[in-house]
Amino acid sequence: MPQSWLQRFRDSRREPDNEVESITLSPSFTSDEDDFGRGEALPGKWWRPSGLIANIRYMWSTSLPFRTTLIAVVLTTATVVIVAIVMGNTIARDLDASRTNQALQEADHAVSSAQATFDQGLETDELAITALRKEALDAAIARAPNASGYAFYRAESSSAGSAALQDIASADVPPGLVSDAMRTALQEDPGTVVYQSVALEREDGRVEPGLVVGSTVSVPSAGTYELYLVYSMQPSQDTLDFVQRTLTISMAILVLMVGAIVGGIMRAVIRPIRVAARTSRRLASGHLEERIPERGNDDIGTLARSFNDMADNLQRQIEQLEDLSKVQQRFVSDVSHELRTPLTTIRLAAGIVYTRKDDLDPTVARSAELLQDQIARFELLLADLLEISRYDAGAVQLLRKPNDLTHLAEDVIETMTQVAAEQGEALILRATSASIEAEFDERRVNRVVRNLVANAIEHGEGKPIVVSVDANATAVAISVRDYGVGMTDEQQSQVFSRFWRADPSRKRTMGGSGLGLAISQEDAQLHNGRLELWSVPELGSNFRLTLPRHVDEQIVSSPLPLVPEDAGAHTYTADASEGLVNPFDDQGMETQPIDLPMLGDLGEGRWEYRAETDPDTGGFPIDSSGAKPAKGEEK
């Protein structure tokens, strides 16, 4: 039983039952860039920076959960980093202030103890004062248990006494640890306590943060001296490092937890959406029975029910359209077949009348001519209807074999030359090779090219028509370029529709049913090729047919551009390098002499085709650059 176009569409798009969801980037036929096999694969080697960035970009553009999770992780990371910086700085300031205040309090108590010890002594000789200094320093160190060292220096502004004490310092206080600036500040204001942060270098080479606290004491009989206590700030630094490590680890765990939580939530939310997307794809591919599982009464459940209701209505309407399409196809097929018998009888009877038209009255003879023409036109229409019914029934078979596309183009031009001449149009063949072979059905491709040339003659406005043939490693192509009325974007979208005509009121010189381009499109797709169109109003059109050179061969690119090289030109201009051949003349035509196009010399080795009469020959120029003569004819 013949299948309808809808059933064939469903069967061709049907997917296997054990479908595995995957991402497939298949080559596509792209007319804008003339690229038939360009596609991108998922970038590899993710561990490299370039590969990682490419994969992130790919996932960003294709995965909503990844994009949402990444945004959440980035925002959370930025937030915790800001919080960590603020908290770290606050804790560092608090620890430093606390440790500094503790050191200042201890230093104050230590200085007070040392001063009290010095005040109790009445010694005047140097040895006694030295012993008294040792006792005072011991008392000061006892009151400052956290101090790691001390220094005892004579103040430069102190007046000389009866005895003088040497400067001393503990082993942990190297010379120069107490800066001159600190000593100067203390000498300018002896009654105050000064402190300064320093770096303490230990015996093992480690450098620790430290604090030097200085004050003055008065030694009887010796004058004023400076007492400095050195504190190590390493415990506070260790505490700060521990806090920072804890914050870093905690916030890293927090970021990971946020990413995992958001990813899990998005996965749970996106799963029914993916089910809906997969179901819609299968529904679009012809599985009209596919439905989304309905669970719950939430928004997702409402979406599933609404989608299923839409699918039910769509299935009912498509089935109705399918039934109607079957009835329509059966009607067209039956009518086309039933009309062949009476049409044959009418054609035979009309042929008998037509052969005797010279013996008839002129009015009756003219009627016989019109009858003969309309019967021929009706036969063409009937043949087109039968061909369309074969496509709808899926009963079309290709007879592929090696053929010469250049010879095919020459044959079409030869049969259409007289029709083009009646319209004052030149047919120009441009072929890069005398023989371009490919495997195709010669009858169907010949019909496609003939339809394109006839369409160009119909709308060429008396300007030349250029037929170009070329080939590459994987494809052959033929284009038909005219410089006529052209088409708008809306007209281009309908040009391959059945029974559609750009201007129904336009005078038709070659008849036609509006099925020629539709059949041509079907023939091209049957060859796994493509028939495409470029057109601009008032600048003409260019139809391009691209076919694979061999059966089941993937087309990489078309050898001819879809947008012609002279896009925007109002007529065809030839260069001397194209090697124009001798033009046809009107002596071999079975018509009266007519006005034919001629070549107008533009200078600098260029000619323009003009719709004017050649006063010498009335010639009809045809450019067959690189093409060999047609069979049985020498050009």
Side-chain angles (χ1 to χ4, degrees):
M1 181 176 181
Q3 290 181 316
S4 66
W5 64 269
L6 181 60
Q7 185 63 37
R8 288 192 291 109
F9 168 77
R10 294 170 60 181
D11 293 342
S12 64
R13 298 293 301 274
R14 189 169 299 278
E15 302 172 1
D17 294 335
N18 55 345
E19 178 188 9
V20 179
E21 183 178 0
S22 61
I23 299 177
T24 303
L25 299 176
S26 59
S28 60
F29 195 110
T30 308
S31 60
D32 292 339
E33 299 181 359
D34 290 336
D35 192 343
F36 287 71
R38 182 174 299 169
E40 292 182 352
L42 188 64
K45 298 183 178 180
W46 59 268
W47 61 88
R48 295 182 179 177
S50 59
L52 180 61
I53 294 175
N55 278 280
I56 290 176
R57 288 179 178 175
Y58 177 81
M59 294 296 294
W60 176 271
S61 61
T62 58
S63 175
L64 178 61
F66 176 81
R67 186 162 59 248
T68 305
T69 304
L70 184 60
I71 292 175
V73 168
V74 170
L75 294 179
T76 304
T77 302
T79 302
V80 299
V81 166
I82 294 174
V83 172
I85 292 175
V86 173
M87 292 182 61
N89 291 336
T90 302
I91 294 173
R93 286 196 300 269
D94 291 344
L95 286 175
D96 181 71
S98 176
R99 182 62 175 169
T100 300
N101 291 333
Q102 181 183 4
L104 291 177
Q105 291 177 2
E106 283 191 1
D108 182 65
H109 295 160
V111 170
S112 298
S113 298
Q115 186 63 56
T117 302
F118 282 122
D119 291 341
Q120 294 175 1
L122 299 177
E123 293 83 354
T124 57
D125 60 287
E126 184 175 351
L127 292 177
I129 294 176
T130 300
L132 181 62
R133 180 187 64 183
K134 183 178 182 306
E135 182 181 352
L137 290 177
D138 291 340
I141 294 300
R143 296 299 301 272
N146 293 318
S148 60
Y150 65 89
F152 190 80
Y153 300 142
R154 179 180 176 84
E156 296 182 357
S157 60
S158 175
S159 58
S162 58
L165 297 176
Q166 293 181 351
D167 295 342
I168 62 172
S170 63
D172 295 335
V173 181
L177 181 64
V178 180
S179 64
D180 294 338
M182 186 176 181
R183 297 193 64 184
T184 301
L186 188 59
Q187 292 171 9
E188 292 175 355
D189 192 1
T192 60
V193 177
V194 296
Y195 59 93
Q196 183 181 28
S197 298
V198 295
L200 302 178
E201 185 174 354
R202 298 306 183 185
E203 294 180 356
D204 55 2
R206 293 183 299 106
V207 178
E208 299 178 353
L211 182 70
V212 177
V213 180
S215 185
T216 58
V217 293
S218 178
V219 180
S221 304
T224 302
Y225 283 80
E226 301 167 1
L227 176 60
Y228 297 96
L229 296 176
V230 179
Y231 292 87
S232 175
M233 304 294 286
Q234 188 60 38
S236 298
Q237 184 64 46
D238 294 339
T239 303
L240 180 61
D241 292 342
F242 173 76
V243 172
Q244 290 178 342
R245 285 194 302 271
T246 303
L247 285 175
T248 301
I249 296 174
S250 301
M251 292 183 177
I253 295 175
L254 176 62
V255 170
L256 294 177
M257 290 180 62
V258 168
I261 293 173
V262 173
I265 294 175
M266 287 303 301
R267 183 178 179 84
V269 172
I270 209 69
R271 184 182 295 111
I273 298 178
R274 287 179 173 173
V275 172
R278 183 168 58 253
T279 304
S280 63
R281 286 197 302 269
R282 292 178 60 84
L283 190 66
S285 64
H287 297 267
L288 299 181
E289 70 283 354
E290 286 292 325
R291 296 296 183 269
I292 299 177
E294 300 179 11
R295 299 185 181 93
N297 296 317
D298 55 3
D299 295 337
I300 300 298
T302 303
L303 173 63
R305 285 188 294 272
S306 301
F307 183 91
N308 292 338
D309 293 340
M310 179 194 68
D312 292 337
N313 294 330
L314 183 62
Q315 184 177 11
R316 286 193 297 269
Q317 294 179 11
I318 289 179
E319 289 176 350
Q320 293 175 359
L321 290 175
E322 184 178 6
D323 295 338
L324 180 62
S325 177
K326 290 180 179 179
V327 173
Q328 179 185 3
Q329 293 168 17
R330 189 180 303 112
F331 173 78
V332 172
S333 179
D334 294 345
V335 169
S336 300
H337 283 87
E338 293 298 330
L339 287 178
R340 293 181 67 88
T341 301
L343 180 62
T344 301
T345 304
I346 295 173
R347 180 170 57 82
L348 292 175
I352 295 175
V353 176
Y354 182 77
T355 56
R356 298 181 180 180
K357 66 177 181 177
D358 295 336
D359 301 333
L360 301 176
D361 182 80
T363 303
V364 178
R366 178 58 180 165
S367 299
E369 293 177 355
L370 293 176
L371 178 62
Q372 187 73 8
D373 293 340
Q374 294 304 315
I375 290 176
R377 181 181 173 188
F378 189 69
E379 285 182 330
L380 292 177
L381 175 59
L382 189 59
D384 289 343
L385 289 175
L386 287 174
E387 189 68 15
I388 285 293
S389 65
R390 293 190 190 100
Y391 277 111
D392 291 339
V396 179
Q397 294 182 352
L398 286 180
L399 300 177
R400 285 187 172 182
K401 63 179 181 178
N403 292 292
D404 194 321
L405 189 60
T406 304
H407 284 168
L408 185 146
E410 290 176 344
D411 293 341
V412 172
I413 289 177
E414 182 179 358
T415 58
M416 303 295 290
T417 295
Q418 183 172 344
V419 180
E422 293 174 356
Q423 302 299 316
E425 297 170 352
L427 293 179
I428 305 166
L429 175 61
R430 302 176 69 230
T432 58
S433 175
S435 177
I436 298 178
E437 291 191 354
E439 296 178 3
F440 56 83
D441 190 322
E442 182 179 11
R443 182 181 67 85
R444 297 185 182 279
V445 175
N446 184 290
R447 179 173 59 190
V448 172
V449 178
R450 189 172 63 251
N451 285 335
L452 297 181
V453 174
N455 184 74
I457 294 174
E458 183 77 26
H459 302 87
E461 298 294 316
K463 297 180 181 180
I465 298 169
V466 182
V467 180
S468 302
V469 184
D470 202 353
N472 58 24
T474 61
V476 296
I478 183 169
S479 65
V480 179
R481 165 83 159 107
D482 67 75
Y483 300 84
V485 295
M487 285 178 280
T488 62
D489 293 340
E490 182 179 357
Q491 291 172 337
Q492 293 181 50
S493 63
Q494 298 291 330
V495 70
F496 297 109
S497 301
R498 299 179 181 183
F499 301 103
W500 183 87
R501 299 187 66 86
D503 187 2
S505 63
R506 182 181 178 89
K507 180 182 178 182
R508 289 179 283 181
T509 60
M510 301 180 62
S513 60
L515 292 173
L517 291 179
I519 295 176
S520 299
Q521 181 76 290
E522 296 280 358
D523 286 334
Q525 294 178 356
L526 201 62
H527 284 82
N528 295 326
R530 183 67 62 91
L531 180 60
E532 298 171 290
L533 166 66
W534 168 91
S535 185
V536 176
E538 306 302 330
L539 294 178
S541 305
N542 184 47
F543 285 86
R544 182 184 68 179
L545 173 65
T546 306
L547 303 173
R549 299 203 72 159
H550 305 286
V551 179
D552 298 330
E553 184 175 16
Q554 180 68 37
I555 298 176
V556 176
S557 62
S558 178
L560 289 174
L562 180 60
V563 180
E565 299 174 355
D566 61 346
H570 293 276
T571 187
Y572 178 68
T573 302
D575 293 329
S577 60
E578 294 191 13
L580 296 177
V581 301
N582 295 329
F584 286 128
D585 54 39
D586 57 353
Q587 298 177 358
M589 299 182 181
E590 297 178 358
T591 60
Q592 296 297 323
I594 55 176
D595 293 343
L596 296 175
M598 64 172 293
L599 286 175
D601 191 355
L602 298 178
E604 298 182 358
R606 297 176 64 80
W607 292 271
E608 180 183 68
Y609 282 82
R610 301 172 181 170
E612 300 175 1
T613 303
D614 189 336
D616 297 329
T617 64
F620 181 42
I622 294 186
D623 175 13
S624 300
S625 303
K628 66 181 183 180
K631 300 176 181 178
E633 179 182 18
E634 183 177 357
K635 296 184 180 180

